Amino acid sequence: MKIYDELVARGLVAQVTDEDEIKNLVNEGKAVFYIGFDPTADSLHVGHFMALCLMKRLQMAGNKPIVLLGGGTGHIGDPSGRTDMRSMMTKETINENCEKFKKQMERFIDFSEGAAIAVNNADWLLGLNYVELLREVGACFSVNNMLRAECYKQRMEKGLSFLEFNYMIMQSYDFYHLFKEYGCNMQFGGDDQWSNMLGGTELIRKKLGKDAYAMTITLLLNSEGNKMGKTAKGAVWLDPNKTSPFEFYQYWRNVADGDVLKCIRMLTFLPLEEIDKMDSWEGAELNKAKDILAYELTSLVHGKEEAEKARTASLALFANGSDDSTMPTFTILDEHFTDDKIGVLDLMVISKLAPSKSEARRLVMQGGLLVNDEKVTSIDTMFTKEMFNEKFILKKGKKTFLKIVK
């Protein structure tokens, strides 16, 4: 199966322009394509994961990825899919986040010998002269068409800043710049980016002639990826210091039954023939599929050794075993105790199992906290210092474990 047909079969392709041309370029390994990543945090999360896997697939088929780090667009903030404006970051924070993104991406993408390149749009956006930009680029955009774009329509009632209104122009200029400077002939992005991406394609054709060879393809990156990347309390990070390999494994081990095969198709590199055989799996077999998903993705992000450790620890815990060697750990200090005791709410907050005492209180009252497999029933529960000399494992909900050591 050719790579483009495989992308379709895996459920990745949502919309395309110039499908025949795109298909031929991708299948022949002649696509020079980019995907943009705005540095809104100090780590990539699994909302970015699908894009990274896509880049890896296409590179393996001979195509050339361009990683676009949004050091420039990060100063504005993409309004797509948001109900409010992003908080403003300093230039230093944006630059630091870009560097961390690039380092994490090296696990997925081969940057050796020109096989892929990473660029930062701060290099060309921050030096633009505003009046020149208005004359050169602004004249190519219809405000009426921009206001019809879904990324703006959903914000009009609550308020859309002029700062964010310029995001489409900046993103479009990125494609124009990459086309001219690097021969980038294709852009990929999530289906919520469709309007922004079409703006780039149209800008190239208006500025360089309708024969300019630039094409657009959107995939179910952000809509599915962000849904998978967000939990009730935040993102699942690719940085092991923010989400441990064990927690990462547990996240995928606990996906909904209806999502597991979709995730395996979209995110793993298992052969489609092997995945198709799982379509009829039910019950205990679905649990096996979840284990396959968790293991494959943890291997991709953290390596096979960490995936093996996470799988072993997970199986031991769910079988009431005692292997907690790879479990996330918090070291409790003497200063955390008062009269050699600590309350359950304080323990949850200092160990960051809960972001606040109110959240810790809610969790205990709803029966969502266990200590060594025993449910904590009172918010006034106290633990003595001596109790931490033995095994002391907190379990929040169904999938979050934390070992407390002293």
Side-chain angles (χ1 to χ4, degrees), residues 161-309:
S161 71
F162 184 69
L163 177 74
E164 295 172 292
F165 188 65
N166 282 271
Y167 191 90
M168 181 185 292
I169 295 175
M170 297 293 97
Q171 183 171 329
S172 299
Y173 190 86
D174 283 342
F175 194 19
Y176 174 61
H177 179 87
L178 294 174
F179 179 87
K180 290 195 305 177
E181 300 298 325
Y182 298 96
C184 180
N185 52 27
M186 201 176 299
Q187 58 179 331
F188 288 74
D191 59 354
D192 63 341
Q193 295 290 312
W194 185 241
S195 298
N196 291 342
M197 296 170 68
L198 286 180
T201 297
E202 288 303 308
L203 176 61
I204 290 172
R205 292 176 178 175
K206 286 179 179 178
K207 294 295 295 181
L208 304 176
K210 60 184 177 181
D211 294 329
Y213 214 48
M215 291 164 289
T216 300
I217 181 169
T218 71
L219 295 93
L220 294 172
L221 299 182
N222 292 344
S223 60
E224 292 293 337
N226 284 341
K227 183 175 73 174
M228 292 186 290
K230 299 291 183 180
T231 65
K233 299 301 172 187
V236 178
W237 305 101
L238 304 193
D239 183 346
N241 295 314
K242 294 170 73 73
T243 299
S244 70
F246 177 82
E247 292 170 315
F248 189 84
Y249 182 95
Q250 288 299 113
Y251 173 78
W252 295 108
R253 181 62 182 76
N254 287 280
V255 298
D257 289 356
D259 290 335
V260 60
L261 288 182
K262 178 169 63 177
C263 291
I264 289 177
R265 279 197 174 86
M266 288 181 167
L267 299 175
T268 76
F269 287 78
L270 295 175
L272 282 170
E273 296 81 3
E274 183 177 336
I275 299 171
D276 289 341
K277 294 176 183 177
M278 302 179 191
D279 279 336
S280 60
W281 286 10
E282 297 179 351
E285 288 182 314
L286 273 182
N287 287 330
K288 180 181 177 182
K290 291 179 183 182
D291 177 71
I292 291 170
L293 172 68
Y295 180 82
E296 291 294 325
L297 299 192
T298 306
S299 295
L300 276 172
V301 175
H302 299 295
K304 289 189 178 297
E305 182 178 351
E306 291 297 335
E308 291 286 355
K309 290 179 181 178

Side-chain angles (χ1 to χ4, degrees), residues 96-110:
E96 289 173 4
N97 291 349
C98 283
E99 289 300 315
K100 291 175 180 177
F101 275 26
K102 171 63 162 51
K103 186 174 181 180
Q104 289 178 330
M105 289 171 178
E106 290 173 355
R107 178 173 286 277
F108 298 87
I109 302 165
D110 176 15

